[in-house]
Amino acid sequence: MCERCEHNENRLSRRHVMAGGAALLAASSLPWAFARADQPVLAGPPPNAIPPDEALNRLMAGNARYAAGATECKDYSLDRAERVGAQYPIVAVLSCSDSRVSPELLFEQGPGDIFVVRVAGNFVNPDGLASMEYAVKILGVPLLMVLGHSNCGAVSAAVKVVTEHAELPGHLPELVQSIEPAVIAAHDKHTPDLVAATIDENVRLNVKRLIDDTPIISDALAAKKIAVSGGVYDIATGKVRLI
């Protein structure tokens, strides 16, 4: 082997070792790198570094405008380029999948302001919980909200299963099973409108599930970095009632 080839081989071997080490290091930090991929390092506090009560006030003020038909005229394309590299939502909302419920609209917030997790019946499941944890740990949201709504079909189905022993097809029994504890809690209160009471109880139970989550959400709550709230959206009036 000539001296030149031997030199190139040695250099290539060193390069392979260095590349292998870098790959190993990157692989070991991959989960965190993936989680931080959409959040650049900032020199100052992020735009959503606000107290939880301020975030809630902004939401409720937006809802008041929405319910009154006094929404502001906005051009959401103006900040589109700024949203490419990062997101700084002020709240993570666990909402029902109902097509009549759109958190961004009913709170009159723009793109990037609300991190939305949706499932029919707005209950906490493992995937939804992980998404809410992501919003707290990675995105730095100051507020979590469980948002139920009037005339919820998933809740109505759960009420029929409990009270009338209705049988549902497909995977629907698995879905309503998660809402049944709220039906039982509402039934024990002997309320005249069991569906409406279950909607409220479902929000309360899932707020508690978020509060009890360890360690991410519970630690953030203990440090007073976040708050957890619940509300019910009335489709007819457009108003959100905090509970």
Side-chain angles (χ1 to χ4, degrees), residues 122-146:
N122 49 270
F123 58 86
V124 177
N125 61 16
D127 293 336
L129 180 58
S131 296
M132 299 297 268
E133 290 178 334
Y134 177 87
V136 172
K137 185 70 175 180
I138 307 304
L139 302 181
V141 298
L143 180 66
L144 303 181
M145 175 177 282
V146 178

Side-chain angles (χ1 to χ4, degrees), residues 36 38-39 46 48 87-89 115 134-141:
R36 300 298 301 180
D38 61 349
Q39 296 301 100
N48 61 349
Q87 55 174 321
Y88 301 102
F115 184 85
Y134 177 87
V136 172
K137 185 70 175 180
I138 307 304
L139 302 181
V141 298

